[in-house]
Every structure is written in C-alpha cells, then in structure tokens.
Amino acid sequence: MKKKPSKSYTVQEALQKLARYCVYQDRCHQEVESKLRSMHMIPEARAHIISELIQQDFLNEERFAMNFVRGKFNQKGWGRIRLKQELKRREISDYLINKAINQIKEGEYLTKLEILALKKYKQLGQDKSWYAKSKLKNHLIYKGFEIDLIMDEINNLYKF
C-alpha cells in the first residue's frame, strides 16, 4: 500500500492557513509551531510565519492565556492548580500564567468550588461515609482546587 505524499505549502499558503487556524480559536505559540511542523515547514519558514502572525495580531500569547483561563474556569470549573499546569504544558511564561489566573476574583473562585462540591455531593447521594468524602475530595483535586480550600468545603458539607 502506497503512502500518499503530503501536500507541500508555500510560505504564503501556510501563512494564510495558519491565520485561519488562529482566527477560528485563540492559539498559543506551541500549537502554531506544532501545526507548522505537521505541514513540514522548514525552521526559517516557521519563524517567518510565526513572526507575521504576531505582527498581524493573529497570535497573541497574553490574549490566549487570558481567554484560556476565563473559558476553562467558567465552562469546565477548573481551579488554579489545573489552570497553571495546563498553561505550563503549553509553554506559557510564568508572568502570563500569573496575570491570567489573577483575573479570577477570589469570591468567584470560592463560589465555583462551592457549586462543584455541592453538585458532586448530591451525585453521591449525600452519602456521609469516608468513601463518599474521599470521592468528593479526589474530584475537586482533579479539577485543580487547593487542598485546604477543598477540606474547608468538605467540612462545611459534612457538618452533622
């Protein structure tokens, strides 16, 4: 079975394709670099395309980090720990990570934790066993919330 040859792109074609890629959804540099590698672009072309995308404001790491944090916090209920891990995995600078995470107000953060904990507590049938508490704690750790906040919330839910 013959392997189909991959399409080759000119720098201009690749730039247009990556501009559409970035317009569809905010992207980080790592995602764009990966896409360019999959298109078999040489390093000089990759650097030129990334530079053009930045100059034309298609690629903006700060905007990406801010939108990523806002979106994952609001939609998926991720806590600070998970958000930091995911941004680090995308090679976002510590400065931008902190700036993006600091946009979450403390009150909103605690409310989100309370809502997620209560939802899981109800799913567990308001079971007061050690097993249920452990499941709730592990769920909130997976979401990326800090252990001290989790334990405070669990203690609030399991008051007798």
Side-chain angles (χ1 to χ4, degrees):
M1 184 175 191
K2 284 187 177 178
K3 187 177 179 186
K4 184 179 170 187
S6 62
K7 180 177 178 357
S8 62
Y9 296 88
T10 66
V11 171
Q12 198 56 41
E13 288 172 336
L15 180 59
Q16 289 174 347
K17 186 174 175 82
L18 269 291
R20 284 192 304 273
Y21 180 67
C22 292
V23 164
Y24 175 72
Q25 175 182 321
D26 271 329
R27 309 287 179 176
C28 64
H29 288 100
Q30 182 193 37
E31 291 170 325
V32 171
E33 181 74 33
S34 176
K35 185 80 166 170
L36 286 167
R37 281 199 174 111
S38 73
M39 295 168 70
H40 305 291
M41 301 300 290
I42 61 172
E44 293 81 10
R46 290 196 309 255
H48 172 74
I49 291 168
I50 288 175
S51 173
E52 281 293 314
L53 291 171
I54 291 169
Q55 286 177 4
Q56 295 176 22
D57 204 32
F58 286 109
L59 189 58
N60 183 323
E61 291 252 291
E62 181 175 353
R63 184 178 62 217
F64 169 80
M66 300 297 265
N67 289 337
F68 182 88
V69 165
R70 204 171 20 258
K72 298 300 183 188
F73 175 72
N74 290 329
Q75 299 301 315
K76 294 197 174 205
W78 287 0
R80 291 184 193 115
I81 295 170
R82 176 97 185 254
L83 290 166
K84 281 181 186 177
Q85 287 173 340
E86 293 293 330
L87 288 172
K88 277 192 180 297
R89 197 169 63 78
R90 288 167 174 78
E91 299 174 10
I92 304 298
S93 71
D94 288 339
Y95 170 77
L96 288 180
I97 290 172
N98 291 329
K99 184 173 182 178
I101 286 180
N102 287 336
Q103 74 180 319
I104 302 172
K105 293 177 179 67
E106 191 65 24
E108 282 180 67
Y109 190 74
L110 296 174
T111 301
K112 178 69 78 174
L113 171 61
E114 190 177 318
I115 290 167
L116 291 170
L118 188 58
K119 182 179 175 185
K120 187 67 174 177
Y121 175 71
K122 287 178 179 177
Q123 283 177 352
L124 295 168
Q126 300 176 1
D127 182 0
K128 298 201 183 300
S129 70
W130 171 87
Y131 178 73
K133 287 181 187 178
S134 178
K135 294 252 323 170
L136 176 57
K137 182 179 83 174
N138 289 339
H139 174 71
L140 296 173
I141 288 171
Y142 172 76
K143 287 286 191 176
F145 288 90
E146 296 83 348
I147 194 70
D148 57 327
L149 297 177
I150 292 171
M151 295 314 294
D152 288 345
E153 193 57 41
I154 287 174
N155 290 334
N156 287 338
L157 284 172
Y158 287 94
K159 283 182 183 171
F160 291 98

